[in-house]
Amino acid sequence: MIKRLSKCIREYKALTLLTPLFMSLEVTMEVFIPMLMGKLIDNGIYKTDTDYVVKIGLLLLVLCSFSLFAGVAGGVTAAKASSGFAKNLRHDMFHNIQGFSFANIDKFSASGLVTRLTTDVTNLQNSFQMIIRIAVRSPAMLLFSLGMALSINLKVSMVFVAMVPVLGLALGIIVSKAHPNFKKLFKTYDKLNSVVNENLHGIRVVKSFVRENEEEKKFGAVSDKIYYYSKKAEGIIAFNAPVMQFSSYLCMILIAWFGANIIIKSNAVDMTTGELFSLINYTMQILMNLMSLSMIFVMLTMSRASGERVCEVLDEKSDLHSPENAVCEVPDGSIEFVGAGFSYSSDAEKLCLKNVSLKIESGETVGIIGSTGSSKTTFVQLIPRLYDVTAGTVKVGGRDVREYDLDTLRNEVAMVLQKNVLFSGTIKDNLRWGNENATDEEMTEACKLAQAHPFISEMEDGYDTYIEQGGTNVSGGQKQRICIARSLLKKPKILILDDSTSAVDTKTDALIRQAFREYIPETTKIIIAQRISSIEGADKIIVLDDGEVAAFGTHEQLLKDSEIYREVYLSQTKGGEDNE
């Protein structure tokens, strides 16, 4: 894990290395200060030697100045290095997520990825800063101070030697008990983000069904879990401070007692007052840095769970990739399924799409109809390789889709998803997702084909109208038409509409289909629909039932030969759905 995370330091290596150097300089300066103060007491104050006092005083001033400079410089470089490390970490995670297939994304919830990119990265940033700064300063100061203390009086310094193993054992117990609770805490944060995200996205539904109290209870339940695990983890960590303080005060009392006895019994021969003063100062340095080290272990305990979660994202490899010597041109929009099957699970026997074999000629308009759960969306997602088939083959332009460069294939397949998504920005910004170099004329033409131009023209700012995140300031039908226009700007060889006109009226739906026939006749058009009227004019219609092709043919053929299609048609026409 450490090796993987360290790859994100990159251009901040110099700052990362400078920080320990500055910390070492600070320690070197500080470690001599107690010794010089002891000499100042013994040789200056007791002997009333003013010149010696001034000389040592000036030397102390120089050491303190260098220590201050090194400390400030180390703090600045540590802050820059840790911030840069966090920036690279977020970049690498987000970059890797962009390469995920749908199957990879399904492994992580959206809220879990958000927590990893925010809370977990912040924990790692704080730990990284402590590692390159405090984790260098504290051990160095601890060792140097211990060495100086031993040089002053070996017997008295044995107090430290006896105390360090006790502290190490206590710290080990605290860390081992706290870590599992921090892991559970961060997983619960994922659930909290999920609840909040779901509530905010569905706030209109929540209010229309008056479900505020139920949503508050759901939030409260998750929040209580966070409180429980946080209290438990922090409660264990809280033992760290009293253990360290008790050890510090005990060491100071023992050293003062033994030191004072030695001074009195030896008449200040075996130990002087200045040496006792220096020893007490070194005691403070040793114990304060022991406390700092314990806080580092606490922080590392918290960040270890975060590091594991971040590495899960960084190490996740997309199961879809372009092959070597990939084909970089799609000749036409023909599509062929040969014994194709697909399963979302690793169990190949649990297929949601089974033994599909059919051929669609380039330029044809093909409708797909079927009941909910019949795998209509799964069927079309195999064409641009959003998923790979579990069995059989899918061909586009006469070649297996797995032979194409992924970007090449997906650039030739425009897909208007069942859940239409618009991004914050102007209508023009959203349209240019289809073609970033599209001119105003091209955007206008695409919107006319998608029947979006009339309502856009009526807006105060026209095509410069700002779309809120998720397209909340436009209706469902308007959102669908903008998404269709965006796909048309790609000028694809294959256009897939996944129930993408469900929110528009039948007249507008008919105008969109007419525009497709007249203006993009060479593009293969696949239309998933619930309304028979949306697909009855298609060249061919696929009837899916329980993941299998129940029938495939023209509207007239299916009325004659397919009982499923005939039942749907009669239920809709008798119900007058298309006449509403």
Side-chain angles (χ1 to χ4, degrees):
M1 182 180 70
I2 294 173
K3 185 178 179 181
R4 179 67 187 87
L5 294 174
S6 64
K7 292 179 181 178
C8 296
I9 300 172
R10 293 198 290 274
E11 68 270 29
Y12 298 96
K13 281 183 181 177
L15 290 171
T16 302
L17 293 173
L18 273 175
T19 302
L21 291 176
F22 283 127
M23 291 299 99
S24 299
L25 178 61
E26 182 187 22
V27 168
T28 303
M29 298 298 105
E30 268 190 46
V31 79
F32 287 108
I33 291 174
M35 181 190 70
L36 291 173
M37 291 182 70
K39 291 184 178 296
L40 183 68
I41 292 170
D42 289 338
N43 301 327
I45 296 174
Y46 277 0
K47 295 181 180 179
T48 63
D49 188 340
T50 305
D51 291 338
Y52 189 84
V53 170
V54 171
K55 182 176 71 172
I56 297 298
L58 289 173
L59 182 56
L60 284 170
L61 182 62
V62 171
L63 291 177
C64 289
S65 299
F66 272 107
S67 177
L68 177 63
F69 165 77
V72 170
V76 171
T77 54
K80 289 181 178 178
S82 61
S83 298
F85 167 72
K87 181 195 73 173
N88 289 342
L89 202 54
R90 290 190 187 96
H91 169 271
D92 289 358
M93 289 177 68
F94 193 76
H95 177 75
N96 200 40
I97 290 169
Q98 298 311 298
F100 282 0
S101 67
F102 280 15
N104 296 121
I105 293 172
D106 291 343
K107 294 181 182 179
F108 303 95
S109 65
S111 56
L113 290 173
V114 169
T115 306
R116 285 167 167 85
L117 283 162
T118 51
T119 304
D120 289 327
V121 171
T122 300
N123 285 339
L124 290 173
Q125 177 181 347
N126 293 336
S127 293
F128 182 75
Q129 185 172 14
M130 291 187 75
I131 287 170
I132 63 174
R133 189 182 179 197
I134 309 301
V136 172
R137 186 188 189 282
S138 293
M141 181 65 79
L142 181 66
L143 292 173
F144 288 157
S145 297
L146 185 58
M148 296 297 284
L150 289 170
S151 68
I152 291 172
N153 193 291
L154 185 61
K155 290 181 179 179
V156 176
S157 299
M158 285 297 107
V159 171
F160 300 124
V161 177
M163 190 60 66
V164 168
V166 176
L167 290 175
L169 178 62
L171 188 60
I173 294 171
I174 291 171
V175 168
S176 64
K177 295 290 185 181
H179 177 65
N181 288 289
F182 279 119
K183 288 186 73 172
K184 293 175 183 176
L185 175 65
F186 292 132
K187 285 184 179 179
T188 312
Y189 271 125
D190 290 350
K191 293 180 183 177
L192 182 71
N193 281 338
S194 179
V195 169
V196 173
N197 185 54
E198 185 179 56
N199 178 269
L200 294 177
H201 274 81
I203 192 66
R204 289 172 175 80
V205 179
V206 171
K207 290 187 176 297
S208 65
F209 282 90
V210 197
R211 298 282 294 183
E212 290 90 344
N213 290 337
E214 286 73 10
E215 287 296 301
E216 286 178 8
K217 289 177 183 177
K218 190 192 298 183
F219 178 86
V222 180
S223 186
D224 286 343
K225 278 190 176 181
I226 289 178
Y227 167 73
Y228 173 76
Y229 289 127
S230 179
K231 179 184 72 173
K232 197 170 181 182
E234 295 292 346
I236 296 169
I237 294 298
F239 282 102
N240 179 65
V243 167
M244 298 304 298
Q245 287 179 354
F246 172 78
S247 302
S248 300
Y249 294 136
L250 180 60
C251 280
M252 290 179 65
I253 290 170
L254 291 174
I255 286 172
W257 172 264
F258 290 130
N261 275 321
I262 291 172
I263 292 172
I264 292 170
K265 289 179 180 178
S266 67
N267 198 23
V269 174
D270 294 339
M271 178 180 281
T272 65
T273 304
E275 288 174 336
L276 178 59
F277 179 84
S278 297
L279 202 56
I280 291 173
N281 272 276
Y282 283 127
T283 302
M284 287 298 297
Q285 285 185 350
I286 290 168
L287 296 172
M288 289 302 294
N289 284 285
L290 272 173
M291 288 186 70
S292 295
L293 278 175
S294 70
M295 291 308 299
I296 291 170
F297 278 108
V298 168
M299 192 67 211
L300 290 177
T301 301
M302 293 175 62
S303 61
R304 177 183 161 192
S306 294
E308 290 168 352
R309 287 158 51 82
V310 166
C311 284
E312 284 178 3
V313 178
L314 290 174
D315 293 337
E316 180 73 15
K317 301 300 180 185
S318 176
D319 53 4
L320 297 180
H321 52 82
S322 299
E324 293 184 14
N325 303 315
V327 178
C328 295
E329 184 179 353
V330 180
D332 57 53
S334 63
I335 304 166
E336 185 177 4
F337 283 71
V338 182
F342 177 77
S343 172
Y344 286 102
S345 70
S346 56
D347 187 352
E349 293 184 2
K350 295 181 179 179
L351 297 175
C352 59
L353 202 66
K354 310 161 194 172
N355 195 31
V356 177
S357 295
L358 55 85
K359 187 170 184 179
I360 301 168
E361 299 297 338
S362 183
E364 282 189 331
T365 299
V366 176
I368 301 177
I369 196 165
S371 61
T372 301
S374 59
S375 299
K376 300 184 296 295
T377 298
T378 303
F379 177 88
V380 295
Q381 286 179 340
L382 298 176
I383 297 170
R385 275 195 83 194
L386 298 179
Y387 291 99
D388 263 343
V389 289
T390 306
T393 307
V394 177
K395 296 181 180 180
V396 170
R399 305 194 69 142
D400 191 326
V401 291
R402 290 168 289 195
E403 297 177 14
Y404 286 109
D405 173 73
L406 266 176
D407 290 344
T408 299
L409 175 65
R410 290 175 181 173
N411 278 327
E412 295 294 353
V413 181
M415 193 167 181
V416 185
L417 298 171
Q418 194 171 17
K419 294 181 180 179
N420 298 286
V421 176
L422 293 178
F423 298 90
S424 54
T426 65
I427 291 177
K428 283 184 178 179
D429 293 336
N430 275 277
L431 290 172
R432 286 198 171 108
W433 275 67
N435 179 3
E436 61 183 357
N437 299 314
T439 64
D440 290 350
E441 291 75 18
E442 288 173 326
M443 286 188 283
T444 302
E445 181 64 24
C447 287
K448 285 179 178 178
L449 293 177
Q451 304 303 309
H453 181 69
F455 75 79
I456 294 175
S457 300
E458 292 174 2
M459 293 179 173
E460 185 177 349
D461 296 321
Y463 283 81
D464 292 314
T465 299
Y466 189 83
I467 299 294
E468 301 293 342
Q469 185 178 13
T472 55
N473 58 332
V474 291
S475 70
Q478 291 172 337
K479 189 190 298 186
Q480 285 185 338
R481 282 174 277 175
I482 293 173
C483 289
I484 291 171
R486 179 174 65 187
S487 295
L488 290 173
L489 281 170
K490 287 183 73 173
K491 297 179 180 177
K493 288 186 169 67
I494 299 171
L495 175 64
I496 299 171
L497 303 181
D498 186 357
D499 204 15
S500 303
T501 57
S502 58
V504 302
D505 58 86
T506 52
K507 181 181 177 181
T508 303
D509 187 12
L511 290 171
I512 292 172
R513 285 183 279 113
Q514 181 183 346
F516 287 170
R517 286 193 300 269
E518 294 177 0
Y519 294 98
I520 52 171
E522 296 180 358
T523 298
T524 303
K525 298 162 283 291
I526 300 177
I527 303 170
I528 296 176
Q530 298 297 331
R531 294 186 297 215
I532 292 287
S533 61
S534 297
I535 58 172
E536 63 180 333
D539 298 309
K540 293 174 184 175
I541 298 170
I542 302 169
V543 180
L544 286 175
D545 182 43
D546 194 25
E548 296 183 281
V549 177
F552 182 42
T554 64
H555 172 69
E556 290 75 17
Q557 289 173 335
L558 294 179
L559 279 177
K560 181 181 177 182
D561 301 330
S562 173
E563 184 179 346
I564 296 173
Y565 186 81
R566 187 166 54 251
E567 286 179 359
V568 174
Y569 176 76
L570 292 174
S571 68
Q572 291 186 7
T573 53
K574 286 181 179 178
E577 179 180 313
D578 291 339
N579 297 319
E580 289 180 1

